[in-house]
Amino acid sequence: MENVSTVDEFLLLSLTSVQELQPVFFMMFLIIYLINLAENGAILIIVILEPKLHSPMYFFLGNLSCLDICYSSVTLPKVLMNLLSTRRAISFLGCITQLHFFHFLGSTEAILLALMAFDRFVAICNPLRYTVIMNPQLCVLLAAVAWLISFFYALMHSVMTARLDFCHSLKLNHFLCDVKPLLELACSNTELNQWLLSVVTGSISMGAFFLTLLSYFYIIGFLVLKNRSCRILHKALSTCASHFMVVCLFYGPVGFTYIRPPSATSMSEDRTVAVIYSAITPVLNPVIYTFRNKEVMLALKKIFGRKLFKDCH
């Protein structure tokens, strides 16, 4: 029998083991985090304050911006603290909490991207009935279902991981608390946890991805077969192209980390990929999807331009 003791805390890795590079990494990720807060915060403000943006597309965009702020806030503040600290500890409860919100927000984003694809499908393929189908009540219901399903999905992982016995080294081979590195430290049977990670996580992410692709295939098919106008085709495809770039940015790292077989991935690769989806993707999402939108840019100038003008006087 291996020695099983009560775990009070875990020790996390730093982003870099080179002491001289830690201040550089700190400044770099602090800037990334602040840009994320500014970008997504600005989108949230204009979606709430600008009446012209009170439509299903921007309602879901506001949800995505809220998600991106929360997603980075779950991991980056602790990463920044650890870059300045010599002892990178996180309490057991803090670790399980971080794991919960990491999966909760990640799963919500996967479902939300599928809902946004469905919204574009209705807008392009059934424009005359768009406002009837995508009414405010349905939009709120769909968003609430996405958040609720994801909460209970994440709760499953956090409860199942918290029940494990940990008797190996308490040094986590990651800079954040996630299921896979925690399972490496467990000395109790983790087969069920591995199965849940592969099957349930895989089903949610792949199911949402399949529905997203299906919406785009229907859109492309509809435009090619029903619409002869090159101008309309170009406009619709450019609207969907930015959304599809966000989908690829999200599902690329997720597929690499969670859908590949355990033997095909190493923890060092997982750490590199985690940097992309916890820090880089939330910053790129607004740039790709929102700031290319003329309506959004006009709303930004209207709201923030007005505030700047008032401050100057």
Side-chain angles (χ1 to χ4, degrees), residues 85-107:
S85 175
T86 51
R87 191 171 186 276
R88 304 174 188 95
I90 184 169
S91 68
F92 180 81
L93 182 60
C95 188
I96 297 299
T97 303
Q98 188 183 59
L99 179 154
H100 174 80
F101 281 98
F102 188 69
H103 280 268
F104 168 39
L105 297 166
S107 174

Side-chain angles (χ1 to χ4, degrees), residues 5 35 47 73 77 156 163 234 240 247 264 266 279:
S5 56
I35 291 170
V47 165
S73 299
M156 172 198 73
R163 289 176 67 252
H234 179 265
C240 294
V247 170
S266 71

Side-chain angles (χ1 to χ4, degrees), residues 4-5 7 160-168 182-183 185-190:
V4 179
S5 56
V7 176
M160 292 302 295
T161 307
R163 289 176 67 252
L164 294 172
D165 295 319
F166 298 93
C167 54
H168 301 308
L182 281 167
L183 294 185
L185 303 183
C187 53
S188 46
N189 193 321
T190 62

Side-chain angles (χ1 to χ4, degrees), residues 2-299:
E2 294 181 81
N3 183 37
V4 179
S5 56
T6 304
V7 176
D8 296 320
E9 63 179 23
F10 294 101
L11 300 175
L12 298 170
L13 288 181
S14 179
L15 280 173
T16 176
S17 56
V18 182
Q19 194 73 31
E20 293 77 16
L21 287 177
Q22 287 183 3
V24 178
F25 272 72
F26 176 83
M27 286 307 301
M28 186 170 71
F29 279 90
L30 178 62
I31 291 166
I32 288 170
Y33 183 53
L34 292 175
I35 291 170
N36 169 33
L37 294 180
E39 284 180 344
N40 288 295
I43 292 166
L44 266 178
I45 290 167
I46 63 167
V47 165
I48 293 166
L49 296 182
E50 179 53 58
K52 288 181 181 177
L53 301 185
H54 292 173
S55 68
M57 176 178 164
Y58 295 108
F59 170 76
F60 291 124
L61 261 179
N63 272 264
L64 184 65
S65 292
C66 179
L67 266 174
D68 283 338
I69 289 171
C70 297
Y71 204 35
S72 288
S73 299
V74 166
T75 55
L76 287 188
K78 188 63 181 175
V79 167
L80 291 169
M81 284 171 60
N82 287 344
L83 283 167
L84 298 178
S85 175
T86 51
R87 191 171 186 276
R88 304 174 188 95
I90 184 169
S91 68
F92 180 81
L93 182 60
C95 188
I96 297 299
T97 303
Q98 188 183 59
L99 179 154
H100 174 80
F101 281 98
F102 188 69
H103 280 268
F104 168 39
L105 297 166
S107 174
T108 306
E109 184 158 346
I111 300 170
L112 190 63
L113 290 173
L115 295 178
M116 291 166 79
F118 175 72
D119 171 67
R120 291 300 84 209
F121 160 70
V122 178
I124 293 168
C125 300
N126 205 344
L128 297 177
R129 298 195 63 221
Y130 176 63
T131 51
V132 177
I133 297 169
M134 298 302 292
N135 59 72
Q137 292 82 6
L138 180 66
C139 292
V140 170
L141 179 65
L142 290 172
V145 167
W147 287 87
L148 202 62
I149 288 172
S150 301
F151 178 83
F152 285 107
Y153 153 75
L155 190 65
M156 172 198 73
H157 275 311
S158 51
V159 169
M160 292 302 295
T161 307
R163 289 176 67 252
L164 294 172
D165 295 319
F166 298 93
C167 54
H168 301 308
S169 165
L170 298 183
K171 290 182 179 178
L172 211 63
N173 194 16
H174 212 306
F175 60 82
L176 58 87
C177 287
D178 198 2
V179 177
K180 286 173 77 175
L182 281 167
L183 294 185
E184 288 187 351
L185 303 183
C187 53
S188 46
N189 193 321
T190 62
E191 283 183 11
L192 179 58
N193 300 71
Q194 295 281 5
W195 184 86
L196 290 172
L197 193 63
S198 300
V199 176
V200 182
T201 305
S203 298
I204 289 175
S205 54
M206 283 298 93
F209 184 56
F210 174 74
L211 291 174
T212 306
L213 285 182
L214 194 64
S215 295
Y216 285 120
F217 282 136
Y218 269 110
I219 290 168
I220 293 165
F222 174 83
L223 291 172
V224 171
L225 296 173
K226 304 278 183 179
N227 244 309
R228 303 291 175 91
S229 169
C230 291
R231 185 182 62 82
I232 295 171
L233 182 64
H234 179 265
K235 185 182 177 183
L237 288 178
S238 66
T239 303
C240 294
S242 55
H243 184 180
F244 197 67
M245 286 174 73
V246 171
V247 170
C248 292
L249 266 174
F250 177 78
Y251 280 105
V254 167
F256 187 92
T257 306
Y258 297 107
I259 296 165
R260 293 197 309 166
S263 57
T265 182
S266 71
M267 203 53 69
S268 61
E269 290 172 335
D270 284 355
R271 287 197 301 271
T272 306
V273 171
V275 171
I276 297 170
Y277 60 72
S278 63
I280 309 300
T281 303
V283 171
L284 292 178
N285 280 353
V287 175
I288 293 169
Y289 196 22
T290 311
F291 294 140
R292 292 171 70 249
N293 186 304
K294 287 180 183 177
E295 287 180 320
V296 170
M297 294 311 294
L298 285 170

